[in-house]
Every structure is written in structure tokens, then in C-alpha cells.
Amino acid sequence: MKVVIGISGGVDSSVAAIKLLNQGYEVIGLFMRNWDASINNDILGNPTLNDNICPQEKDYNDAVKVCKKLNIPLYRVDFVKEYWDYVFTYFLDELKKGRTPNPDIMCNKYIKFDMFYKKALEMGADYIATGHYARIDNGVFKRGVDDNKDQTYFLSQVPKDVLKKVLFPIGNLNKSEVRKIALEYDLETASKKDSTGICFIGERNITKFLENYLPNIPGDIIDIDTNKKLGTHIGLMYYTIGQRRGLNIGGFDNRMFVVGKDLDKNILYVALGDDNEYLYTDSCIVEDVNWISDNKYTECTAKFRYRQNDNDVLLEFHDDFILVKYKQKVKAVTPGQACVFYKGDECLGGGIIKEVRKDNKKLWYL
């Protein structure tokens, strides 16, 4: 059976390739170029680069070394235009709306598990594989066994039919085990730092980076309880609900939290204390739902952001959205972020938070 695996130049995809080889698959590596390296420079908020090699090219060089050591072929494919059209443009459009998008989820939906998937099938693949921490167990999509690395949240928009053709070779491993295997094989990526930042764009000074695409429009920071002006924000797109750092409203010892935005008046609303009532809501509307499970549960758990414990919720299914009711109020649920549903270890699917509500009403400040 032929498997085309996405080789990123990181340790996870490297070890995933090893696992596939040990299971007897014919393995072919495919490296995706999704961002134009010619605009990766310090003007766009890039960190200083060593040896004048951009991070993307360094990743490709590492991928070449890994595949050479494992004696598997490596091909390179260019999805720069597709990434711009389907992921980066979406990211910018959501920011313009004052929402907090998750480009990594859209990258998985449109690039890794659509464009890459189709390319792999053209190459004769029976399956595709990635280095994600997730599992498919007897056709059921499940969390990775490493709770700290589980990536089903970011995979929640992958279509059910595509998942039938996907292998996640390291989903049953902890990160420490992955590192150990890479060291045993003396791979170039064994001790390589995990990538962070925006998917395929990497770590950047986000303020400088976004200035190249969206104009900064400063405005007032208002205490929502007292209606007093506390300072000036640098642009609503740079703030997310629940944020408390980087507000530059001295004298409050990081005790003020972002609770809302008014796009028409260009106001950023803040409130004092992490237990402030304005931070908490009891329901939300989730649209663009991708339901993966064979079962439709009305009672399950949900994550409203990646680094968050599961929340007990009740679901009301409608034609084009799900009304999600929380059993206990939840802090900092944010329009534009993903809401992902779980039943135990099974990832049921997910959607995008359209509207946040309290007492059956849309909140005026969100």
C-alpha cells in the first residue's frame, strides 16, 4: 500500500514516516511550500534569520536530510496561491470583522487535507499521512494519547470522507517517545524545536506583520463598568476576548481584561478582574459545522479554544448552525474561534463561533 506523507522538516512528520516504514508501507514524502519565501524578511516582522536562509528553506533542507536517511523519495509541491486565497485572505477578512480567526484550522481544511490530499491521490496514494497527534480507531476519530499535544481541535474541519484515507502514525505516542525514536535513528530533526506561530508563516512580530496588510486604526479603551476612557488601543484586530497583557493602561497591574469590541465606534471594552461578569457567557451559535461522528449527540463536551479544559454542553441542531448551551458559564468565548465537540476521546466535529450569548440574547459588546 502506497502512503504519501506530508514531510514538514519537523520531528513529528519524520517519526511518522519511520512508523509507516516499519509497518510495511511504501512511503513517499511530499513537502508543501505554502508561503512565498521572497517576502519573508524583517520588514514583515520576521525574526532575524541566520545564514540568510528563511525558516521555510531550512525546513525543506531538513526534510531532504531525513528522507535521504530513511531512503524514501521526497517531492516538493507549491500551494502558495491556494494558501493565500483560502487561508491568509480568510485570516485577514476575519480580523477586519473584529473576530479572532484560527488560520491553522483553515490550513488543515483547505491545504493539507484538500490540496495536498488531491495531489497525493494523483501520485497514486492509497492513503495520506501526517505527523499530527490524533487517532482513527475502527473508523472513529479520536484524540491523540498525549493530552498535551492532541491536535484534533485543529483537525475539526477535515471532511469525514477525507479522514477515511488518512493515517496518523504517531497518534498513539507521547512527544517524549517521538523524540526518543528520532534520536535512535539519528535524525536531523531529533532535537529540533517545535514550530510555533501562524501555520506556514511562522513566528513573527504580529503587529509589524499585519501592518503590511491592514491599516492600524487606533481608538479608545473604555472600562465597560464605569464608561471611563483608560487608554488608546493600536487597532481592534490586535486584541482578543480575555486578553490582559499588552493593553498599556498602566496602574491596573494586569487586572483589566478585554471583554468586547465596538467596530462602528472603534472602541475596545475592558473590565476589571478575571471573574468579571462581562467575561462570562452561557451559550453561543456555531456555524460552518463539520460533523465527523456517525452519531449526533445532544449532550457532550466542547472546547472553545485549544488550551482549554472540556466544558459540558447541550446541543440544539438547526439547519445551518448549532446552538450550544453551557451547563456552567464559560469565560472568554470568542467569535471567530473554533468550537470543537467531544464525547470522551471521540472528536465529533466542530464549527466556527458566530455569536456569543447570555440569557438568550446576543451581547451588545461582542
Side-chain angles (χ1 to χ4, degrees), residues 98-351:
R99 290 159 48 120
T100 303
N102 195 314
D104 288 9
I105 289 176
M106 294 302 142
C107 182
N108 283 327
K109 178 179 181 178
Y110 292 113
I111 305 300
K112 294 179 183 176
F113 294 89
D114 186 2
M115 303 300 172
F116 171 84
Y117 171 72
K118 291 172 181 175
K119 181 65 178 179
L121 294 184
E122 288 176 10
M123 297 170 67
D126 296 294
Y127 293 98
I128 67 166
T130 68
H132 286 100
Y133 288 82
R135 293 177 292 158
I136 298 178
D137 184 5
N138 292 320
V140 178
F141 185 43
K142 293 184 175 181
R143 308 181 207 236
V145 298
D146 190 332
D147 290 337
N148 191 50
K149 298 297 293 183
D150 168 56
Q151 291 172 301
T152 52
Y153 181 88
F154 298 108
L155 298 167
S156 57
Q157 285 286 317
V158 178
K160 183 177 181 177
D161 289 344
V162 174
L163 284 172
K164 293 176 181 177
K165 288 280 191 177
V166 178
L167 302 176
F168 296 113
I170 64 170
N172 288 302
L173 299 177
N174 289 307
K175 184 72 178 195
S176 58
E177 295 175 293
V178 169
R179 293 280 186 195
K180 182 180 179 182
I181 292 170
L183 286 168
E184 289 172 354
Y185 279 78
D186 192 29
L187 295 186
E188 182 78 15
T189 56
S191 301
K192 187 174 181 178
K193 180 184 174 184
D194 289 342
S195 60
T196 57
I198 302 172
C199 184
F200 287 109
I201 296 176
E203 296 182 59
R204 290 174 180 271
N205 179 319
I206 194 67
T207 304
K208 288 183 179 179
F209 180 65
L210 290 178
E211 282 175 355
N212 293 272
Y213 305 97
L214 298 174
N216 290 347
I217 307 175
D220 293 342
I221 299 176
I222 301 292
D223 184 334
I224 199 168
D225 286 307
T226 65
N227 206 35
K228 291 182 179 179
K229 179 179 176 179
L230 301 181
T232 301
H233 66 74
I234 60 173
L236 292 178
M237 62 187 170
Y238 298 115
Y239 304 89
T240 188
I241 307 305
Q243 178 179 334
R244 68 183 176 92
R245 300 185 186 279
L247 301 181
N248 296 320
I249 45 176
F252 290 96
D253 298 322
N254 290 326
R255 291 178 292 129
M256 298 299 276
F257 292 77
V258 174
V259 297
K261 302 176 182 181
D262 186 324
L263 263 67
D264 292 333
K265 297 179 180 178
N266 196 27
I267 293 174
L268 184 72
Y269 288 105
V270 297
L272 184 63
D274 65 356
D275 60 348
N276 193 288
E277 64 171 317
Y278 284 103
L279 275 172
Y280 288 83
T281 54
D282 58 26
S283 62
C284 66
I285 290 176
V286 176
E287 61 182 358
D288 298 327
V289 176
N290 177 55
W291 196 262
I292 298 169
S293 176
D294 289 334
N295 302 301
K296 280 200 172 181
Y297 297 97
T298 57
E299 189 170 353
C300 60
T301 63
K303 285 179 179 288
F304 300 101
R305 59 185 64 207
Y306 177 49
R307 293 294 183 186
Q308 183 185 58
N309 293 328
D310 285 29
N311 300 278
D312 292 322
V313 297
L314 299 172
L315 307 184
E316 285 185 11
F317 290 87
H318 296 262
D319 289 343
D320 54 358
F321 68 91
I322 296 177
L323 175 60
V324 184
K325 298 180 179 179
Y326 328 145
K327 290 191 175 181
Q328 294 182 323
K329 289 183 179 181
V330 181
K331 183 169 72 173
V333 178
T334 307
Q337 283 280 21
C339 173
V340 181
F341 307 109
Y342 295 89
K343 194 72 171 180
D345 275 347
E346 181 182 3
C347 178
L348 306 175

Side-chain angles (χ1 to χ4, degrees), residues 15-34:
V15 172
I18 291 172
K19 297 292 287 184
L20 291 170
L21 288 169
N22 290 342
Q23 291 166 17
Y25 290 104
E26 177 189 349
V27 181
I28 297 173
L30 194 61
F31 181 90
M32 287 173 277
R33 177 178 176 265
N34 295 331

